[in-house]
Amino acid sequence: MDLVEEVVPLADRELAVLRPRYAAALVDEHAFEEDEFLPYWAQLWPSGVALARAVASRALKGARVLELGCGLGLPSLAAARAGGRVLATDWSPTAIELLQDNADRNGVALEAAVVSWTDPAPLLARAPFDLVLAADVLYERRSVPVLADLLPRLGGEVLLADPGRPPLEAFLERTGTVWARPPVYRLR
Ligand SMILES: C[S@@+](CC[C@H](N)C(=O)[O-])C[C@H]1O[C@@H](n2cnc3c(N)ncnc32)[C@H](O)[C@@H]1O
């Protein structure tokens, strides 16, 4: 894979991650045909950066943290560096492999696993987590009922970052929020 380094400043320090230079070059028409899979994991989305910044300043000391749809996994890297015991998940095996390399590059330890939120038994078996993270996961309407049902069952505190995509409103109607400070929402 043709990778480039991206350096992202967080609260006090920066994270340097490798990402594919051209995400579009990874489109696989067979994978799309099967499950409408597109390589969205390969980009660094602004929501991921916002969530990583929100998490970086926390003292997570041993807290059990889960990230769904992690992609390049910036929030997971920030949470691990803040002391969390992190499980980062995505349905893309390539994303998970690259995240493990990026964790090593940044000197942080985390667990990364291929899990789809449509088949969440491995996550529910390890719930509840102290903190659940998800950035820019509501880009398809089909994910709204799935994630609205799943996220509250995974942990006591859920931080969701979203750039205001159309499915967000339907999602928040289902879940409610205790407070919302866009683009990071904390679910009840
Ligand atoms: C728009 S990207 C956001 C990536 C990352 N969270 C960020 O903000 O940079 C959406 C992510 O959700 C993942 N995803 C989509 N459907 C999924 C599913 N059913 N189970 C797990 N991950 C999924 C994609 O592979 C991708 O990494």
Side-chain angles (χ1 to χ4, degrees):
M1 219 187 309
D2 183 9
L3 300 172
V4 284
E5 187 183 61
E6 182 110 31
V7 177
V8 185
L10 299 183
D12 48 346
R13 289 160 66 185
E14 48 194 30
L15 283 169
V17 291
L18 292 178
R19 64 161 174 80
R21 188 186 302 271
Y22 305 113
L26 303 175
V27 172
D28 172 342
E29 303 206 349
H30 296 292
F32 181 77
E33 185 104 336
E34 208 171 287
D35 212 0
E36 295 185 27
F37 176 89
L38 284 168
Y40 292 127
W41 66 267
Q43 292 176 53
L44 201 53
W45 298 87
S47 296
V49 176
L51 191 53
R53 290 199 171 125
V55 162
S57 53
R58 289 193 167 202
L60 290 173
K61 294 187 187 103
R64 297 180 69 234
V65 181
L66 168 69
E67 182 173 8
L68 293 187
C70 64
L72 293 166
L74 228 62
S76 284
L77 293 169
R81 205 161 65 184
R85 286 181 289 149
V86 176
L87 170 60
T89 63
D90 200 285
W91 68 349
S92 162
T94 324
I96 292 306
E97 214 174 296
L98 186 57
L99 177 55
Q100 264 153 350
D101 290 348
N102 277 325
D104 291 345
R105 283 173 61 84
N106 285 277
V108 300
L110 54 71
E111 185 184 352
V114 177
V115 184
S116 171
W117 57 62
T118 57
D119 188 10
L123 304 179
L124 290 167
R126 294 173 62 173
F129 293 85
D130 298 308
L131 178 63
V132 181
L133 306 171
D136 208 345
V137 291
L138 291 168
Y139 54 94
E140 292 179 326
R141 283 199 184 273
R142 65 177 174 165
S143 300
V144 169
V146 179
L147 290 174
D149 172 64
L150 178 62
L151 282 169
R153 289 196 286 151
L154 290 173
E157 182 181 12
V158 180
L159 292 181
L160 170 87
D162 189 276
R165 298 198 190 281
L168 174 69
E169 206 171 311
F171 175 84
L172 292 178
E173 265 167 32
R174 282 172 181 254
T175 56
T177 55
V178 278
W179 53 255
R181 201 169 51 193
V184 177
Y185 296 85
R186 184 176 177 193
L187 306 185
R188 181 159 46 220

